[in-house]
C-alpha cells in the first residue's frame, strides 16, 4: 500500500490520530517545494477539520468534509507528479 492509499484510508476512518499519522507519511515530501509544502498544510488543515466535524456534528456534514479532504489530497498528489 503506497503513501497516498494509506492517507486515503485515514480520511475514510477519520480517527483522532489521523492527522498525526498523515503528517508522518507526508513529511517525506514537505521539502520538495514551497507550493507542495503549502498544499500539504492545506490538506492537513482540512483533515483536522474533518476529524472535528465527525467528532462533533451531525452525520449530514461528514461526507462534504471528507470529500474536501480527498480533493486536497488529490492536489498534493498532482503537484508531486508534475
Amino acid at each position: 500500500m503506497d503513501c497516498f492509499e494509506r492517507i486515503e484510508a485515514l480520511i475514510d476512518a477519520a480517527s483522532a490520530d489521523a492527522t498525526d499519522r498523515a503528517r508522518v507519511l507526508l513529511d517525506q515530501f514537505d521539502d520538495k517545494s514551497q507550493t507542495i509544502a503549502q498544499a500539504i498544510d492545506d490538506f492537513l488543515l482540512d483533515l483536522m477539520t474533518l476529524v472535528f466535524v465527525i467528532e462533533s456534528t451531525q452525520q449530514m456534514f461528514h461526507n462534504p468534509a471528507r470529500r474536501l479532504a480527498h480533493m486536497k489530497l488529490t492536489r498534493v498528489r498532482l503537484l508531486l507528479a508534475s
Side-chain angles (χ1 to χ4, degrees):
M1 183 181 287
D2 79 344
C3 170
F4 290 103
E5 289 174 350
R6 289 180 185 172
I7 296 171
E8 297 254 349
L10 291 173
I11 293 170
D12 293 336
S15 61
D17 66 339
T19 304
D20 292 334
R21 293 171 63 193
R23 182 178 286 123
V24 168
L25 291 168
L26 291 169
D27 275 347
Q28 62 186 315
F29 306 116
D30 200 27
D31 62 348
K32 298 283 185 188
S33 74
Q34 183 61 33
T35 303
I36 292 172
Q38 183 62 50
I40 290 171
D41 288 345
D42 290 345
F43 163 72
L44 291 172
L45 180 60
D46 286 339
L47 185 56
M48 286 185 263
T49 303
L50 170 63
V51 171
F52 172 78
V53 165
I54 287 178
E55 290 179 348
S56 62
T57 65
Q58 299 175 6
Q59 180 81 20
M60 65 183 177
F61 296 113
H62 296 189
N63 285 338
R66 186 171 276 117
R67 190 169 46 250
L68 181 60
H70 277 290
M71 288 181 351
K72 292 290 178 79
L73 182 61
T74 298
R75 180 174 180 243
V76 171
R77 189 180 308 185
L78 290 172
L79 285 169
L80 286 168
S82 62

